[in-house]
Amino acid sequence: MSAPKGGKESGKAKGAKSGGKKGKAGTGGARSRKAGLTFPVGRTQRLLRQNRYASRIGKAAPVYLAAVLEYLVAELLELAGNASRDNAKKRINPRFLTLAIRNDEELNKLLAGVTIASGGVLPNIQQILLKKKGKGGKGSSQEL
């Protein structure tokens, strides 16, 4: 039998959850799916509204923002994956994220003020510190 039209189901206690979401079943992520995105458009919109970045938010704003974030993450993960493969590792750790960001000109500019925990720094030895190769070996001030 179907539930009565009064809105309450007969076997449930008052205030109990019905076990599913309100509305149509299976509609979760509909805007993300329509836009062809993996990042959640609904969550992006909720966070934009909750954090009050603007008094009004258009319909396309969370879709566009989710697309931009997805692109940045895909780009970063691709570069970090290449760095981990170069070092014969299968997992991406913070070191590889740092190497990926600092070796890419645009990501480095975007994330210039960001410090990644356990990321380290780029290997860099200044030329003045490297040992110069002399022509004859004599005339060096450091010889004894």
Side-chain angles (χ1 to χ4, degrees):
M1 292 194 159
S2 63
K5 289 189 175 183
K8 293 182 183 177
E9 293 182 15
S10 58
K12 300 268 182 176
K14 186 176 180 180
K17 293 185 179 180
S18 62
K21 292 183 177 182
K22 294 180 183 178
K24 298 177 186 176
T27 59
R31 286 188 288 175
S32 295
R33 206 173 316 111
K34 283 181 185 177
L37 298 174
T38 306
F39 265 51
V41 173
R43 181 180 297 177
T44 306
Q45 183 178 23
R46 176 176 53 85
L47 292 171
L48 281 172
R49 275 190 275 116
Q50 279 181 353
N51 293 323
R52 304 293 291 173
Y53 293 111
S55 58
R56 294 164 49 146
I57 297 168
K59 288 183 180 180
V63 178
Y64 194 89
L65 181 60
V68 169
L69 290 174
E70 184 173 322
Y71 169 74
L72 287 172
V73 168
E75 187 75 19
L76 181 59
L77 285 176
E78 181 183 353
L79 293 172
N82 293 342
S84 67
R85 194 175 340 105
D86 291 344
N87 288 309
K89 303 285 184 183
K90 292 189 176 186
R91 291 188 182 153
I92 295 173
N93 59 28
R95 175 68 181 157
F96 300 136
L97 289 174
T98 300
L99 290 174
I101 290 169
R102 302 302 169 214
N103 285 323
D104 186 73
E105 184 180 336
E106 293 172 342
L107 282 175
N108 190 26
K109 187 175 180 182
L110 178 66
L111 302 172
V114 174
T115 302
I116 297 177
S118 300
V121 296
L122 281 180
N124 183 27
I125 301 173
Q126 295 180 359
Q127 289 296 321
I128 197 165
L129 298 176
L130 293 174
K131 194 173 185 179
K132 295 182 181 178
K133 293 183 179 178
K135 291 184 180 176
K138 291 187 178 179
S140 176
S141 62
Q142 296 293 321
E143 285 187 25
L144 293 176

